[in-house]
Amino acid sequence: MSPDPSAKGTVPFGEYRTWYRVTGELGSGRPAVVAVHGGPGSTHDYLLSLARLAEDGWPVVHYDQLGNGGSTHLPDKDAEFWTVELFLAELANLVDRLGIADDYVLYGQSWGGPLCARHAMTHPDGLRGLVVANAPASYPIWLREMARLRAELPPDTRQALLRHEAAGTYDSEEYLAAMRVFYDRHVCRLTPWPRDFLSSFMEIYNDPTVYYTMNGPNEFHVIGSLKDWSIVDDLHLIDTPTLLISGRHDEATPAVVQPYHDRIPGARWEIFEESSHLPHLEEPERFRQVMTDFLKSL
């Protein structure tokens, strides 16, 4: 169980609201760890276990990105509204509004990884550390690796995926069952799926506006606006101490993570041997140790 929050609420973001929760006490002498979730279009729920870092002395901030969870939902906005720049502005606004801009660490998981990396490229004065977890730096590389992982699925599963993708019938039971085969291998290897992960999974499909627009119908069929997006050429601009995390069975394969390791000076890479895309849930004790070691080193 995650510890109870010490504060919850929303902050204004232009004419909208960003929902957040804090565990521990901000300004207590250690930098706040800001958990930036994936998607785009997921929610904070599946990252709630990071709140345990507050028990070790680091306050933790979770938030729901615009369009999902407790933040303002905007189902009628067109694709041009949902941009990387929008979510960068929301993150900077949140850090400022919570009064932690002079002392914070970013933990970006999946899509949150390149979002946080892009933030770090602006050299914020108060950014003490960066954790990029299970994340692409290039969606073209991600798509190449998704094609390779899909090719390793059972033939009937591959055929079902292709058949429904050609027809656009992403909500059919057969497609969802085939999708689950991939997810059980490369997204979450725990059975049953943890409640926190299920909560975020269901939130995406309760309002898929952002996920469908920017990503696509699932993790491995990226046909949204991010499909050609890459930050690889700018990774050398990051001068923040950086920890990279991935799982041995991760959809974020070594080829996906490699650009971060190659281009961010001094980046350290921890691979979790028993995990796929969610080491914080699949290997929680080792994850906590790796995180606290990194935070102590800053």
Side-chain angles (χ1 to χ4, degrees):
M1 292 290 292
S2 302
D4 292 334
S6 51
K8 293 167 73 172
T10 63
V11 298
F13 173 47
E15 59 188 292
Y16 313 118
R17 309 290 300 188
T18 300
W19 180 93
Y20 71 90
R21 75 170 249 163
V22 178
T23 312
E25 298 303 319
L26 301 180
S28 60
R30 280 181 163 173
V33 178
V34 181
V36 183
H37 66 68
S42 186
T43 61
H44 77 285
D45 302 83
Y46 77 99
L47 294 176
L48 269 176
S49 65
L50 270 70
R52 293 180 63 196
L53 293 170
E55 298 170 345
D56 300 317
W58 286 275
V60 179
V61 174
H62 288 86
Y63 76 105
D64 288 333
Q65 293 164 27
L66 192 67
N68 289 87
S71 296
T72 306
H73 287 237
L74 298 160
D76 297 325
K77 291 291 186 183
D78 58 24
E80 286 69 33
F81 177 82
W82 302 107
T83 64
V84 174
E85 290 70 28
L86 173 74
F87 291 106
L88 284 170
E90 182 184 35
L91 174 57
N93 178 74
L94 177 77
V95 167
D96 184 59
R97 294 276 186 176
L98 292 181
I100 57 174
D102 60 347
D103 197 23
Y104 65 107
V105 172
L106 289 180
Y107 177 93
Q109 202 277 338
S110 200
W111 137 260
L115 186 67
C116 291
R118 181 61 85 188
H119 177 90
M121 292 172 192
T122 66
H123 307 290
D125 289 340
L127 181 61
R128 305 294 177 226
L130 171 67
V131 183
V132 176
N134 322 99
S138 160
Y139 278 85
I141 295 175
W142 176 274
L143 285 167
R144 287 203 302 270
E145 288 298 284
M146 292 306 103
R148 183 177 66 78
L149 294 178
R150 283 177 59 142
E152 297 171 357
L153 295 173
D156 57 338
T157 301
R158 297 201 309 269
Q159 290 161 12
L161 292 173
L162 290 170
R163 186 164 59 251
H164 289 287
E165 286 162 3
T169 48
Y170 303 119
D171 57 353
S172 76
E173 289 191 12
E174 185 183 38
Y175 187 74
L176 294 173
M179 188 176 87
R180 180 68 188 251
V181 175
F182 182 95
Y183 276 52
D184 285 344
R185 287 188 180 196
H186 301 299
V187 180
C188 184
R189 292 167 65 84
L190 298 175
T191 304
W193 282 357
R195 185 182 64 181
D196 291 348
F197 176 54
L198 271 173
S199 295
S200 285
F201 190 81
M202 295 309 297
E203 286 275 6
I204 290 174
Y205 292 99
N206 286 338
D207 185 349
T209 305
V210 183
Y211 191 72
Y212 280 12
T213 299
M214 296 185 74
N215 186 81
N218 55 50
E219 294 294 280
F220 53 82
H221 191 52
V222 180
I223 55 175
S225 58
L226 287 178
K227 67 181 185 299
D228 299 317
W229 188 58
S230 173
I231 59 169
V232 170
D233 290 345
D234 296 324
L235 287 172
H236 66 281
L237 299 174
I238 296 174
D239 58 8
T240 306
T242 300
L243 170 66
L244 309 174
I245 287 173
S246 65
R248 180 62 66 191
H249 309 281
D250 205 332
E251 59 181 350
T253 64
V256 167
V257 180
Q258 194 70 46
Y260 289 108
H261 190 251
D262 290 345
R263 293 171 180 256
I264 299 177
R268 173 183 142 205
W269 189 356
E270 291 282 348
I271 297 177
F272 287 71
E273 295 295 335
E274 304 303 321
S275 294
S276 56
H277 199 52
L278 306 171
H280 63 282
L281 296 176
E282 295 167 290
E283 294 181 67
E285 296 311 316
R286 180 168 177 241
F287 174 83
R288 187 172 180 176
Q289 187 62 56
V290 167
M291 282 294 295
T292 55
D293 287 350
F294 176 69
L295 292 168
K296 287 174 182 176
S297 75
L298 299 177

